[in-house]
Amino acid sequence: MGKFHFNSARQFGHGASRLALGAALVAAFAAPSFAQDAPPAESEDDVIVVSGFRASLENAVNEKKNNDQIVESVSAEDIGKLPDASIGESIARLPGVTSQRLNGRSNNISIRGFGPDFSQTTLNGREQTSTGDNRAVEFDQYPSEIVSQVVIYKSPTASLVGQGLVGTIDIRTVRPLDYGKSVLAVGARGSYADLGALNAGSKKYGYRANATFIDQFADDTIGVALSVSYVDEPYQLQEFNAWGYAGSGTAASPAVIGGSKSYVTSTQLKRLGLNGTVQYQASDTVRMTFDAFYSNFKDDQSKRGIELPLGFGAFGTTFNPATATVSDGFVTAGTFNNVQGVVRNDIFERKADLYSFGYNAEYKGDDGWKAFIDVGYSKTDRNELSIEAYSGTGFGQPLGATDTIRFTSGPSGTVFSPTLDYSNPALIKLTDPLGWGGGTVPQAGYYNNRIVEDELKQYRVGVEKEVDGFFSAIKFGLNYTDRGKSLTPDESLVRLRGGALELPIPAGALLRPTNLGYLGLGPIVSYDARDLIADGTLVLERNTSPDIPAKAFRVSEDLMTAYLQADIEQEMGSGTLTGNIGVQAIHTDQGSSGTVFARGVPRQVSASANYWDVLPSLNLSMRFDSDFVIRFAASRQIQRPRLDDLRVAVSYDISNVVANSPTGVAPFIDGNGGNPQLRPYRANAFDLNFEKYFGQSGLISIQLFHKDIKSYIDRTRFPFDFDGYPLPTGLPPATLIGRLESSFNTGGGKLYGGELAVTLPFSNFSEALDGFGVTGGVGYTKTKIKDAGGNVDQIPGYSKWVANGTAYFEKWGFNARGSVRYRSTFLGDFTGFGGSPTRRTALAEMIVDGQIGYDFQDGSALQGLSLYLQGQNLTDERFASVGASRNQVIDYQIYGRRFLAGFNYKF
């Protein structure tokens, strides 16, 4: 929730029961409260001036009406009044936009049915590095308190540098000279997770604090804005996870759970954010701005649970069909015998330091000439450490006690009834219960440290000249971006001290048992693997497998962009035509260096590619005197490939199977890995908007869009030219045109749909309803994207339906809001252990949030103080994914409800 206003501006530069409960909660949170009108403005018309959330919505409507680009935006209601944990929650409330929750936080943003791989994010118009493996920004890295506005461009202009296929998200910080006032704002809040402290050492209470200072000096020629934010908050998760399901799902071969790896996860998020802006008005025509941002991010997770080999029949587990209860080809209950479980005490720790600097000098002459120079720098140093730690009843499947486990599978996963006590340290020992080490020496875990560096430099210049006639201004600019991203893996096998087959868990290392009662498994032994590594009980043995250096890569990109744009403003009959037309040309020089394995022999290689993209764009707005606006946009759009897909690292060998040869001859080279020759996603896009305004504060908008995807990226086997790659030893290939399993540019398809956006204060209908209102939207998207085989492909992050709405009351200082966010089934991003991404079909979800507060009014002794109480995920909505059918639940995650109470005070 938070003190955001929702805006569709148009200008670059600045189940049934749950539905019923959700509706009831929204109504409750939007119920009237006692309060007093804001004071009237001193004007000739004696217009009543509203403030707070209502004023923000009114400003949003006017921005939408008066500007040209197809965008959505969300802005801060006031300095320091942004109590959201991250801006992702607020962005997800915009029309056509939604999010996926990761560890209970809205972190992945989807625009018009496309996931984060298809959009780009900038900070004050400058491209940024990311804390993930890809380009997509994780919004946790930006504290909401430092953000002044977020703008999502759904249609590009030629002057928009760094665009995405479905949108470009620009995060903006406050400009002190434009703000024009002196202010010191402070805020703090406490948070409570109602799942409690699930793991030993975790917390159920957290806090955050922030402060912002803005002032102007030297006759308002120097402006300074400084912000600091600190977060220390817990997030808790109860998770069921299935390996998959054995059987074909028929009466003859019913599907049964194949295995389970379920955890309770406790995350402690700590983040320090610092932001500063200094502006200098050197003269009436020249203004300089310097921006600096720093984020120190630490995400510390404890993941404890049990891994159980079940219906796949691996590791000696047996299943007696006579114990099974079967319904519609699915085993809903039964008993597994001879089960040897692995008790897991895993750690995932991510640390990241993000630095961002920018300098801008702008000239605005009184003769119609304008010019600017802009320099940006962004760097992210990231370290991701994952430690798997195993324990069980004995080393290897034939040894140790085994379990007889009854189970019941249903719509929320599987619940078990074991016979062993997994919290007994005399029974559960440090070892390799299932012999995963593959030999006579136990592998008691795995250590995976991923070191990622990401650096970006950007240089931009532009000139503009105002002209008379059909075109009102001509713009020309150049931009150069230099980016490099690298991954260095550091991986080790975890052994036991002295080469032991098993060791007791040291008594001093035992922690409070972790309760898996929600799965029926009861408590399990708990410890911190980092402590056992430190005291020498667990020993790290470097993994010398060639698979490890094959993961390393360095990818570089050099982009030179030139653009030419003409702005349009022309009276036409009873209306005015505004907009712009232009073209952007981008030359890309991309390269990668790393290790390739030719028949198992490592070789250092590099590869590169260069190409052009020419991107025309048109934005037109026809504005009628009746407060009716029709908008049309057409453009060529691109989105660059995932950076990790551009890695040169491949592994290949000689194949003599003629049927698999892309040229029909053998021997040929056959391999898999990255593809440094990959080109962007490309599409032709069209938008048509119809907007009706009601006074200064009401709006109903219908937005229609169509994208013709000309180039899509799919992972498949394709012919590949191995020219320049070291040849495998032995029999030489008959041709260098071989086969590579990798990401390739394939045929495209179509994406189309519509969005309805509404902002309606009820005072437009009756003065008795003054203070009440609604804002929100609903979006429908249909895709027909084809993969390399000509089959309709499921796009990551795609939901056919997304909807959101906020009902509010705000008057006399009191405010209350209830919000609902819904998305239909989609292909969700899940993180496998060690950071490896995986995707599964996530079920539809509806999130309900609410907030009440009070702002002390003018004349009060506490003027400037705002208090609020917020509830998140009030219906405790699950996040779930399924396999081949809906009853085959793969993931079922419960995040619980979160409650927050806090204040903001502005001096």
Side-chain angles (χ1 to χ4, degrees), residues 278-449:
V278 177
Q279 289 188 294
Y280 174 46
Q281 191 73 44
S283 67
D284 291 340
T285 58
V286 177
R287 175 180 288 188
M288 291 177 281
T289 302
F290 178 78
D291 296 300
F293 171 72
Y294 169 72
S295 175
N296 176 266
F297 182 96
K298 181 179 180 182
D299 203 354
D300 195 340
Q301 289 186 2
S302 296
K303 300 174 69 71
R304 297 188 173 105
I306 304 180
E307 193 156 8
L308 301 171
L310 301 172
F312 287 132
F315 305 105
T317 299
T318 60
F319 176 62
N320 184 358
T323 67
T325 301
V326 180
S327 175
D328 295 327
F330 182 74
V331 179
T332 60
T335 301
F336 290 105
N337 300 307
N338 202 39
V339 180
Q340 187 153 351
V342 181
V343 176
R344 302 284 294 263
N345 280 261
D346 297 350
I347 295 294
F348 181 77
E349 182 181 87
R350 184 171 65 162
K351 299 178 181 179
D353 288 290
L354 188 150
Y355 310 84
S356 180
F357 303 96
Y359 170 77
N360 179 277
E362 184 181 22
Y363 168 81
K364 291 184 178 180
D366 54 10
D367 56 356
W369 281 98
K370 300 178 183 178
F372 73 87
I373 181 172
D374 194 279
V375 180
Y377 177 81
S378 178
K379 188 177 191 301
T380 298
D381 296 321
R382 182 173 110 243
N383 187 280
E384 287 185 355
L385 172 62
S386 64
I387 304 175
E388 300 180 2
Y390 316 143
S391 54
T393 60
F395 171 48
Q397 186 272 325
L399 304 177
T402 59
D403 204 352
T404 298
I405 300 179
R406 294 172 49 242
F407 71 94
T408 302
S409 296
S412 59
T414 300
V415 177
F416 304 95
S417 180
T419 58
L420 295 182
D421 179 5
Y422 292 96
S423 68
N424 182 0
L427 175 67
I428 305 300
K429 306 175 182 64
L430 299 172
T431 188
D432 184 357
L434 298 181
W436 286 340
T440 59
V441 180
Q443 179 184 328
Y446 197 77
Y447 179 97
N448 183 1
N449 191 20

Side-chain angles (χ1 to χ4, degrees), residues 332-631:
T332 60
T335 301
F336 290 105
N337 300 307
N338 202 39
V339 180
Q340 187 153 351
V342 181
V343 176
R344 302 284 294 263
N345 280 261
D346 297 350
I347 295 294
F348 181 77
E349 182 181 87
R350 184 171 65 162
K351 299 178 181 179
D353 288 290
L354 188 150
Y355 310 84
S356 180
F357 303 96
Y359 170 77
N360 179 277
E362 184 181 22
Y363 168 81
K364 291 184 178 180
D366 54 10
D367 56 356
W369 281 98
K370 300 178 183 178
F372 73 87
I373 181 172
D374 194 279
V375 180
Y377 177 81
S378 178
K379 188 177 191 301
T380 298
D381 296 321
R382 182 173 110 243
N383 187 280
E384 287 185 355
L385 172 62
S386 64
I387 304 175
E388 300 180 2
Y390 316 143
S391 54
T393 60
F395 171 48
Q397 186 272 325
L399 304 177
T402 59
D403 204 352
T404 298
I405 300 179
R406 294 172 49 242
F407 71 94
T408 302
S409 296
S412 59
T414 300
V415 177
F416 304 95
S417 180
T419 58
L420 295 182
D421 179 5
Y422 292 96
S423 68
N424 182 0
L427 175 67
I428 305 300
K429 306 175 182 64
L430 299 172
T431 188
D432 184 357
L434 298 181
W436 286 340
T440 59
V441 180
Q443 179 184 328
Y446 197 77
Y447 179 97
N448 183 1
N449 191 20
R450 306 171 75 245
I451 303 165
V452 180
E453 295 183 355
D454 193 358
E455 186 177 42
L456 186 149
K457 304 170 186 175
Q458 185 174 10
Y459 312 90
R460 185 176 176 183
V461 295
V463 295
E464 176 181 347
K465 179 66 172 72
E466 296 178 359
V467 296
D468 296 326
F470 181 78
F471 296 114
S472 59
I474 306 296
K475 300 176 181 178
F476 172 77
L478 296 171
N479 181 86
Y480 175 72
T481 301
D482 176 11
R483 183 173 191 173
K485 192 159 191 169
S486 65
L487 166 65
T488 303
D490 175 17
E491 302 186 22
S492 297
L493 306 173
V494 177
R495 304 295 192 188
L496 298 178
R497 182 183 57 224
L501 299 183
E502 58 185 47
L503 287 175
I505 303 168
L510 286 169
L511 303 175
R512 169 176 59 87
T514 301
N515 187 8
L516 300 182
Y518 72 101
L519 294 173
L521 292 169
I524 63 171
V525 294
S526 301
Y527 56 91
D528 191 324
R530 290 170 293 193
D531 295 337
L532 300 186
I533 292 173
D535 70 14
T537 302
L538 298 179
V539 180
L540 301 183
E541 178 185 302
R542 183 171 294 277
N543 190 345
T544 58
S545 166
D547 293 339
I548 308 308
K551 298 177 182 179
F553 68 84
R554 176 169 179 80
V555 173
S556 63
E557 283 183 333
D558 293 324
L559 309 177
M560 176 58 75
T561 303
Y563 67 84
L564 180 65
Q565 177 177 313
D567 292 345
I568 299 169
E569 185 172 358
Q570 180 68 42
E571 298 290 334
M572 299 185 69
S574 61
T576 302
L577 178 68
T578 63
N580 52 73
I581 185 172
V583 63
Q584 184 181 106
I586 308 172
H587 180 264
T588 300
D589 189 351
Q590 66 191 30
S592 175
S593 59
T595 304
V596 301
F597 287 84
R599 186 162 276 189
V601 178
R603 307 282 182 86
Q604 292 295 314
V605 301
S606 60
S608 62
N610 60 80
Y611 53 88
W612 283 91
D613 278 293
V614 179
L615 311 176
S617 62
L618 172 68
N619 290 274
L620 296 175
S621 298
M622 189 66 196
R623 310 171 183 278
F624 297 93
D625 296 337
S626 58
D627 278 347
F628 186 68
V629 180
I630 301 176
R631 306 182 193 272

